[in-house]
Amino acid sequence: MGKRSRQRQKNQNASRDDRDNAGWGAGYADIIKENKLFEHYYKEQGLIPEGEFHQFMEAMREPLPATIRITGYKSHAKEILHCLKEKYFKDIQELEIDGQKIEAPQPLSWYPDEQAWHTNMSRKLIRKSPLLEKFHQFLVSETESGNISRQEAVSMIPPLLLKIESHHKILDMCAAPGSKTAQLIEMLHSDMDVPFPEGFVIANDVDNKRCYLLVHQAKRLNSPCIMVVNHDASCIPMLQIDSDGKKDILFYDRVLCDVPCSGDGTMRKNIDVWKKWTTSNSLHLHGLQLRIAVRGVEQLAVGGRMVYSTCSLNPIEDEAVIAALLEKSEGALELEDASADLPGLKWMPGVTSWKLMTKEGKWFSDWSEVPSSRHTQIRPTMFPPKDPEKLASMHLERCMRILPHHQNTGGFFVAVLVKKAPMPWNKRYPKLRKSASAQTGGSPAASSPADTPHLLPEASPEEMEEGGPGGKVDGEAKTTGAPSAQEAAGKLDAVCGPPPSKKLRLFGYKEDPFVFLTADDPVFNTIQSFYDLSPDFPKLNVLTRTHEGKKRHLYMVSKELRNVLFNNSERMKVINTGVKVWSRNSDGEEFGCAFRLAQEGIYTLQPYIRSRIVRVSMEDTKVLLTQENPFLSKLEDDAHAQAKQMGMGSIVLKYIPNPNNPSEPQCPIQLCGWRGKTSIRAFVPRNERFHYLRMLGVEVFRDKQGLGQKRRDGAKEEKEEEAKDDVEKDAEAPLEKGELKHGDKNGSLEPKTESGNKESST
């Protein structure tokens, strides 16, 4: 029984590895990369330039190169790039395996500042060379630390075209698994000196389980400006915010609309698409894609940008959706010419004519040719507009289609839309909406006449008229008559969510509540005095995850995200938000504060902390990261003197770069630490510890057999021996009363916190 069980688990792991490693050219060897219907369909559509179809098909059969992106907002990005170029790429360039010279990773020509690279190395190749194995471990470790993201090249395009600024409010409608969301967060934090940018990202996904993938991606970046929610993107609720003392509707400056699609542009990575592809996939998805896009532009602020993208090459999912959206907008939307935004990127302009094909191979060029028996599967919006003037005014050629053989990428489609005016269906019945709200007593957002005008410019359309773009989006004629007052009253809450007749149904796990603390909460008394928080510390932005009992962890969000969460807790299902800044320590109270600092939130919190800071040198930082529990005497004189003056408890260890010494890291480093009776230590998760060691010139890698960590450094031999086992462990170590505990036998180095699932009273 046990043997069979182990074998089953081995098989499951093997299949999962095949999926995960597809981008590295492994797995799915048994699938034949042929689909005659696919070839016939794309030949007929004429999307591929003449004479290039053979190259296109050959590229589709080749494994997709692996691509990595360096986290752009972190000041460590330059150090990581330097590390990659000097320590890895230079050596790889001279490497030969089985008589074949290895091609070194190359930067993506169109991605700014050499922050994205691609390589053709497969996992099979990586296993043959210790040097490549070290490179792979470096990537894995830095990915887990949030300093590198492994992301498909074409997937990096939409966030770049959004032109994010730090004050933008951003909605990512179909966000999982989260690589684009991570890019959006990075762009918000382009200035690391600003702990709380004014903008934020609300990342949504319809799949509850995939939302947790999203949380995992976002958590690597430790941002207080991200909220993960779980809704159907086609009817994601309108949210309210407080604006100058009044309730207002939240409109986003930027919307990323990366919709579900048939995925035929991902055949190089998702090999099973070869056998599953059929024309009916796009016919089934078109309506959903249009509904999501409509909902996106409804929530977009006038003057804002929305990027619509798919990893499909099919015009039914691409230009047809954009054309239908532009037609419904009646001039409120405009396709932006983004050709100059990414110099170096090769793309094909959008097409203005296309045909439909059924899975049986029957073609239709116009809606009038479609028999009534097929009207449920094929809709008018799937065809190009008939009017040549209208078609020309749409400028569909401004859409961008990326073909795999042009730059050795996946296939992709992207279009940039700018909102010039409110959507026409939002302006149609403002007075009716006002009178309806008066009849029903109104929602909180429309309870007073003074507030009502704030709601009028952009009322939710799909509740206002059944035939509007938010309702039936399949091209049926819009309802010309006004809906009855009763209907409007019944659907009043459309301004800020789904119609009230349907109660919001929540699926998946029941999340713990998000509870904001008040400014006079007793928990702040000792925190304020112990860390000497500055007067401008935003106490109201601190939250916990329990109504009752002891607060085990404290989190922080930005002021703007607090506004959203505070006003919409009943309207949306929040999966996760906030960055952890303090954790309760069972022994901390006797040192003056029950809460120790958390490494995740140190860059957010540190600007407000005015005491408990020890400035350390590069050598001090090495000691703290390689030795588990160094005595205070191991620090250099300056840091030693500072630490001696402090009482026991949680501290900040701060390295400030010296611009006059370019051989040292030129990025600031902040670590959480603990000052013990006679020793000091850093509380840093293992992968983050490895990252900082690399920045300091210490090489950290696991040997091929996984027999522990090895490091090479110019430091003394005894230091190497002392540190050998310590780096293997997580640095967040348990604490004993009055002193720090040296390594547990089992190597567990989790911080000691209150146990139990429920949090007991403060």
Side-chain angles (χ1 to χ4, degrees), residues 414-467:
V414 64
V416 182
L417 294 152
V418 175
K419 190 170 181 178
K420 298 292 186 182
M423 304 310 289
W425 57 87
N426 292 141
K427 304 185 288 188
R428 202 152 287 160
Y429 304 115
K431 288 183 181 175
L432 179 79
R433 172 170 285 277
K434 188 172 178 179
S435 62
S437 68
Q439 286 180 30
T440 57
S443 65
S447 56
S448 70
D451 293 348
T452 308
H454 288 273
L455 303 180
L456 298 183
E458 293 272 353
S460 290
E462 72 279 16
E463 294 86 4
M464 292 305 298
E465 45 182 313
E466 172 66 16

Side-chain angles (χ1 to χ4, degrees), residues 350-364:
V351 294
T352 52
S353 66
W354 58 87
K355 300 182 288 184
L356 265 72
M357 186 174 81
T358 64
K359 62 181 178 183
E360 295 82 21
K362 187 170 175 57
W363 289 92
F364 298 108

Side-chain angles (χ1 to χ4, degrees), residues 55 119 128 138 188 238 241 264 281 291 361 526 536 568 570 605 627 666 750 760:
Q55 290 172 265
T119 171
K128 288 185 176 180
F138 168 82
L188 276 184
M238 284 275 198
I241 51 171
D264 58 21
N281 296 347
R291 284 196 299 277
T526 55
D536 60 339
N568 300 279
E570 300 300 315
L605 191 59
Q627 297 185 32
Q666 292 302 300
E750 280 299 307
S760 45

Side-chain angles (χ1 to χ4, degrees), residues 76 603 625 671 688-696:
H76 303 159
Y603 288 94
L625 291 171
L671 311 174
E688 208 165 327
R689 176 178 287 225
F690 291 170
H691 162 69
Y692 289 127
L693 283 170
R694 289 190 191 100
M695 296 305 100
L696 297 166

Side-chain angles (χ1 to χ4, degrees), residues 544-546 549-555 580 582-585 594-596 753-760 762:
T544 185
R545 298 298 302 270
T546 178
K550 250 181 190 177
K551 300 170 179 71
R552 278 182 23 204
H553 302 295
L554 300 180
Y555 305 85
K580 190 198 296 182
W582 281 293
S583 287
R584 182 178 289 277
N585 185 278
F595 287 89
R596 68 168 183 83
T753 56
E754 297 288 336
S755 58
N757 295 329
K758 294 231 174 181
E759 298 180 340
S760 45
T762 40

